[in-house]
Amino acid sequence: MTYHHSQLPRRGGLLLTAALGVLSLLPVPTAQAAASAPRPTTPSERSTDAYLDVVRDDPRLLRRFFEAMPKGGDLHNHLSGAVSTEYLIELAAEDGLCVDTATMTAVAPPCGPGTRPAADARGDWAFHDALVREWSMQDFPPGGNGHDHFFDTFGKFGEVTWRHRGKLLSEVADDVVRGNQFYLETMVSPASESAKKLAGEVGWDDDLARLHGKLTVGGKLDALVAEARKEADDGDAEFRAASHCGTRRARPGCGLEVRWISQASRGSSPERVFTQLALGMRLAERDPRFVAVNLVQPEDWDSSLRDYSLQMRMVRYLRGVYPHAHVTLHAGELWPGLVKPADLRFHVAEAVDVAGAERVGHGVDLVHEDDWQRTARTMAGREVAVEVPFSSNAQILGVRGADHPFATYRAYGVPVVLATDDPGVSRIDIAHEYQYAAETYRLSYTELKDLARASLEYAFLPGESLWRGNPTRQGYVAVGACRGEEPGQGTVREACRRLLAGSPKAAVQWRQEAAFRAFERTVGLVR
């Protein structure tokens, strides 16, 4: 069963970068060293690459190029942080919410002393712009504490976002489609309050098997699964209504393939984290709309650091109970100066070796970990992809350019996918992230194209891939059933049609290949 809304650096050199206020001059590997799997190119790829070289120094044309380029899927996306801040303000006004003027936090009505109606922002542009700045990284000063401001935004607009999962997805889905992407995995917290209550009732038990038994006895965890599925049903209905799906006014997002990732709040008590993880993994095995779990909230909080290894053991245990649920983990979203050196030594490694993560989000502190080369080789060998959101890494950690391990991961053959993280908060889109990669690391078009392909290859979509073997090592070569076929060029062989009909993953990959062909034919017209 599938879930679909329409149905329910080529040139080496040196870069001068500033990370945490310290200038460093570091080598950036050449593309030959950094590219995972050099492969022959087609004439259309070579002509597109030549055009990219022509427009590299023209910001307007370069932006148009990356807006038009097919860019796979977004695999690291938080729904509440993905929607535009302006839309959050409008939702707050529609719901009659208030704003605490001291903290600029949305609160429930009535609007008492020290608050004012969010609807005032519709006419008071100074108030509106102040909310935009407080609820996002808009105009944030380069020397400020981006880390705290970034994470504080979620508490300020949280009263808005929990009410409207469907409306948020409607806006985000349209943005994803406009960005020439074909798939979205986005994070939410299913049955959050009920999970918190159950965790409090059960309490903590060091014996994880016994703790899991306490959660499941009497159908307690199944009741949370049912509640989470009802939330998803309600969100689907709100989405379809907001997007006018099935009508002549259907918005672009109606055709987007979407899956949910259940997030657990790593800064919470151990019993609550375990309960959220167990719920998310049980849900992934019961409802095809949900595919995986992740841990969210700052990795550098005292409680997050204290419980990190325990949480990795939680995931390892639950993977044995729920083997069909996928795991992607925020890991290594740390940097020297943010935490003590001892806390930089093991986070990515434990996510991979202990928790068995299939993807790692951020992974910024890699080279500061013990025996990081072994971790990188392990990730490459097991095809553990790293999700790279350049903008949030720069805004939260101050890490950019040569200080970022992007080129290092690629040099070791680790699959890399570009992602937005929280595009609404960061005030960016996926085209911005691809353009940043191209400009900063001097990537060729074929390298960028393979980054886009990787974002679908390592998606948690069911079904056989369009690509054979390990594309990161061998290049993107079609499986036998579709080898030699040309997407977007008439009929295909029966074997290929069967693959595409039976595999949601291959079907989305095929759509992207057809889009690549169209893009490469018309790229010179992108002006």
Side-chain angles (χ1 to χ4, degrees):
M1 178 179 177
T2 63
Y3 173 57
H4 193 290
H5 281 305
S6 63
Q7 298 171 328
L8 301 161
R10 187 172 47 177
R11 300 170 183 80
L14 295 175
L15 286 179
L16 186 65
T17 66
L20 299 177
V22 180
L23 290 178
S24 61
L25 194 62
L26 297 174
V28 177
T30 64
Q32 186 174 3
S36 311
R39 60 182 179 84
T41 61
T42 65
S44 64
E45 287 174 335
R46 289 193 292 272
S47 63
T48 304
D49 192 42
Y51 178 80
L52 175 59
D53 274 344
V54 169
V55 301
R56 279 187 188 274
D57 297 322
D58 186 322
R60 182 182 65 86
L61 290 180
L62 195 61
R63 171 68 184 178
R64 294 282 184 86
F65 178 93
F66 284 106
E67 287 176 338
M69 176 184 159
K71 294 177 286 294
D74 198 343
L75 307 186
H76 191 113
N77 177 285
H78 301 262
L79 184 64
S80 64
V83 72
S84 75
T85 311
E86 287 81 358
Y87 186 62
L88 292 180
I89 294 170
E90 181 56 30
L91 278 181
E94 289 179 6
D95 287 344
L97 300 184
C98 314
V99 175
D100 182 318
T101 55
T103 63
M104 300 299 279
T105 299
V107 296
C111 300
T115 70
R116 61 183 299 188
D120 287 357
R122 287 170 166 165
D124 185 337
W125 289 107
F127 181 45
H128 179 277
D129 292 349
L131 282 173
V132 170
R133 287 191 293 271
E134 289 295 323
W135 291 7
S136 75
M137 299 300 291
Q138 179 71 37
D139 299 330
F140 192 77
N145 187 339
H147 173 284
D148 289 356
H149 184 83
F150 189 103
F151 286 114
D152 285 348
T153 63
F154 295 90
K156 293 179 180 180
F157 58 63
E159 187 65 29
V160 184
T161 55
W162 71 265
R163 300 165 179 266
H164 294 294
R165 184 186 295 181
K167 286 186 176 180
L168 298 186
L169 181 59
S170 177
E171 293 291 310
V172 172
D174 282 355
D175 288 340
V176 171
V177 173
R178 280 192 292 266
N180 280 299
Q181 291 188 290
F182 309 92
Y183 177 66
L184 172 67
E185 287 177 8
T186 188
M187 288 174 257
V188 292
S189 299
S192 180
E193 287 303 312
S194 295
K196 179 179 180 181
K197 181 180 178 182
L198 177 59
E201 293 172 356
V202 170
W204 176 244
D205 193 322
D206 287 322
D207 185 323
L208 298 182
R210 191 163 57 212
L211 178 56
H212 185 258
K214 293 177 181 178
L215 290 175
T216 57
V217 68
K220 294 175 184 176
L221 193 58
D222 284 337
L224 292 189
V225 170
E227 180 180 337
R229 297 185 73 176
K230 176 63 165 55
E231 285 179 350
D233 291 343
D234 293 343
D236 288 346
E238 186 180 51
F239 169 85
R240 289 192 297 271
S243 292
H244 309 292
C245 297
T247 75
R248 293 180 179 178
R249 296 186 296 136
R251 289 166 54 171
C254 290
L256 182 69
E257 194 84 30
V258 177
R259 296 294 189 277
W260 300 104
I261 293 177
S262 301
Q263 56 190 25
S265 302
R266 72 192 326 154
S268 301
S269 66
E271 58 267 28
R272 185 179 180 194
V273 173
F274 187 84
T275 300
Q276 288 184 303
L277 288 171
L279 167 60
M281 297 179 85
R282 199 174 185 93
L283 188 57
E285 293 205 337
R286 302 286 180 86
D287 191 319
R289 294 172 293 186
F290 293 84
V291 291
V293 294
N294 204 334
L295 289 162
V296 299
Q297 294 185 323
E299 199 174 332
D300 57 280
W301 280 354
D302 289 345
S303 55
S304 302
L305 294 171
R306 180 195 67 216
D307 294 337
Y308 187 87
S309 294
L310 171 62
Q311 291 168 2
M312 297 303 102
R313 294 197 299 273
M314 291 180 187
V315 176
R316 180 177 63 187
Y317 167 76
L318 289 169
R319 293 208 72 182
V321 180
Y322 304 104
H324 301 296
H326 294 288
V327 173
T328 176
L329 296 174
H330 286 73
E333 193 179 5
L334 303 169
W335 196 249
L338 182 64
V339 296
K340 297 176 182 178
D343 293 317
L344 292 168
R345 296 174 57 186
F346 60 91
H347 280 213
V348 176
E350 286 199 359
V352 173
D353 297 333
V354 178
E358 295 159 83
R359 298 198 311 252
V360 168
H362 300 283
V364 178
D365 78 348
L366 175 71
V367 299
H368 299 280
E369 296 200 4
D370 293 343
D371 198 9
W372 65 266
Q373 297 93 336
R374 183 207 62 80
T375 299
R377 288 192 294 268
T378 299
M379 293 176 71
R382 283 175 35 196
E383 295 187 74
V384 178
V386 60
E387 305 154 355
V388 175
F390 286 117
S391 290
S392 73
N393 291 161
Q395 292 168 345
I396 295 171
L397 302 175
V399 178
R400 52 178 62 83
D403 289 329
H404 197 286
F406 171 77
T408 300
Y409 279 115
R410 296 183 73 238
Y412 275 79
V414 177
V416 177
V417 298
L418 301 188
T420 58
D421 200 2
D422 297 281
V425 173
S426 289
R427 310 291 281 178
I428 54 92
D429 58 15
I430 192 64
H432 177 277
E433 302 304 275
Y434 273 81
Q435 182 172 341
Y436 177 90
E439 292 182 302
T440 305
Y441 304 101
R442 303 299 291 182
L443 301 185
S444 68
Y445 170 66
T446 50
E447 290 173 306
L448 294 160
K449 185 176 182 178
D450 281 354
L451 287 174
R453 284 169 161 167
S455 69
L456 297 180
E457 178 67 15
Y458 298 99
F460 295 141
L461 268 170
E464 184 180 348
S465 173
L466 182 63
W467 311 112
R468 72 177 188 187
N470 182 330
T472 306
R473 293 179 178 176
Q474 302 162 359
Y476 284 84
V477 179
V479 295
C482 293
R483 193 169 307 156
E485 300 287 359
E486 297 184 353
Q489 297 294 303
T491 60
V492 297
R493 296 191 306 269
E494 176 62 24
C496 187
R497 285 201 301 272
R498 285 198 302 269
L499 170 63
L500 300 178
S503 171
K505 173 173 282 189
V508 172
Q509 291 171 322
W510 185 265
R511 286 180 60 198
Q512 173 162 259
E513 292 307 301
F516 276 133
R517 288 181 64 86
F519 172 68
E520 290 164 14
R521 284 197 306 268
T522 60
V523 67
L525 305 177
V526 179
R527 297 185 182 278

